[in-house]
């Protein structure tokens, strides 16, 4: 039937405790929660939303415009090609007579790129650690701007979940501050598919195991922000016991 509604579906796996944030974020984007299965440490959420009709007329018009532009550009390139050939010999002679100038070493830019970002030297990061919503767009903006850079902050383990069926690999959910599972502010930082050795523990007393509530000074590289699960992925560089 012409009026029948068709849906698109999406399944999201979350760490227990972040279900509400994920559901709220999905509902703001027009998704309807239709299924929720809770495990010991993870939840599986099923969503659906009506598919948007394809604007075929607009797509056809846009295609026609692109074809016309391609023809105009091709014609202009052909006309300008003749003029470029005439000047080619003169440009080659002039270029041969010039000596390339040595580009200044970008020492300031290189220094900024290698500097470890902390709440003390980066106001944007300091504000991010205090945001009350782990789904806030500030997470996406920061991850995009500083992808590949190194950050350092005092935090704690909020939760740990086994990675798949592995006995020694886990997903670590981290938060700023010392509140562990009671953390309510800041991003939901995540180390995915990591072992305790991957944490690169340092300090005077290195524990044999770690768990929710343990406090550390984390140093990690920025990977990306998952706007669906509201998780901020990091790669561990070092983890100092506090």
């Amino acid at each position: 039937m012409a009026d029948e509604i068709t849906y698109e579906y999406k399944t999201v796996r979350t760490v227990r405790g972040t279900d509400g944030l994920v559901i709220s974020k999905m509902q703001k984007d027009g998704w309807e929660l239709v299924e929720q299965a809770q495990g010991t440490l993870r939840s599986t959420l099923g969503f659906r939303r009506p598919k948007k009709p394809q604007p075929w007329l607009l797509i056809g018009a846009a295609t026609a415009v692109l074809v016309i532009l391609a023809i105009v550009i091709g014609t202009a390139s052909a006309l300008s090609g003749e003029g470029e050939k005439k000047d080619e010999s003169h440009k080659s002679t002039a270029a041969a007579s010039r000596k390339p100038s040595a580009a200044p070493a970008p020492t300031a830019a290189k220094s900024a790129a290698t500097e470890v970002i902390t709440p003390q030297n980066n106001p944007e990061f300091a504000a991010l650690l205090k945001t009350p919503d782990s789904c806030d767009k500030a997470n996406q903006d920061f991850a995009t701007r500083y992808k590949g850079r190194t950050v350092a902050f005092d935090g704690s383990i909020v939760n740990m979940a086994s990675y798949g069926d592995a006995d020694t690999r886990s997903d670590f959910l981290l938060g700023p501050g010392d509140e562990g599972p009671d953390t309510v502010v800041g991003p939901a930082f995540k180390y995915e598919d990591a072992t305790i050795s991957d944490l690169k523990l340092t300090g005077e007393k290195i524990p044999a195991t770690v768990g929710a509530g343990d406090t550390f000074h984390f140093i990690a590289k920025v990977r990306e922000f998952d706007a669906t699960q509201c998780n901020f992925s990091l790669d561990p560089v070092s983890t100092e016991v506090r």
Side-chain angles (χ1 to χ4, degrees), residues 156-160 172-176 179-183 187 211-214:
S156 59
I157 297 178
V158 177
N159 200 351
M160 289 176 58
F172 292 82
L173 190 65
L174 318 174
E179 302 302 319
D182 297 324
T183 301
D214 291 347

Side-chain angles (χ1 to χ4, degrees), residues 26 54 66 72 130-131 134 156 165 167 173 191 205 238:
M26 295 293 287
Q54 295 293 331
L66 291 175
V72 172
K130 296 179 180 179
T131 180
S134 62
S156 59
D165 297 329
D167 294 330
L173 190 65
Y191 288 163
K205 296 182 179 180
S238 70

Side-chain angles (χ1 to χ4, degrees), residues 82-165:
E82 293 298 326
E84 292 178 354
K85 289 180 179 179
K86 293 179 181 179
D87 295 335
E88 185 175 353
S89 60
H90 299 290
K91 289 182 179 179
S92 297
T93 304
S97 63
R98 297 194 194 104
K99 293 182 179 180
S101 58
T107 53
K110 184 180 294 185
S111 176
T114 57
E115 181 182 32
V116 175
I117 297 172
T118 69
Q120 290 72 36
N121 64 23
N122 189 300
E124 186 178 357
F125 188 49
L128 184 71
L129 296 179
K130 296 179 180 179
T131 180
D133 183 3
S134 62
C135 293
D136 195 283
K137 187 176 180 295
N139 290 274
Q140 181 71 71
D141 295 340
F142 188 90
T144 301
R145 180 176 300 178
Y146 296 104
K147 183 175 183 179
R149 295 284 300 276
T150 301
V151 297
F153 63 97
D154 287 340
S156 59
I157 297 178
V158 177
N159 200 351
M160 289 176 58
S162 298
Y163 184 79
D165 297 329

Side-chain angles (χ1 to χ4, degrees), residues 218-231:
F218 297 104
I219 301 179
K221 285 189 176 181
V222 176
R223 289 184 59 192
E224 60 186 0
F225 178 71
D226 186 334
T228 301
Q229 298 190 25
C230 300
N231 285 331

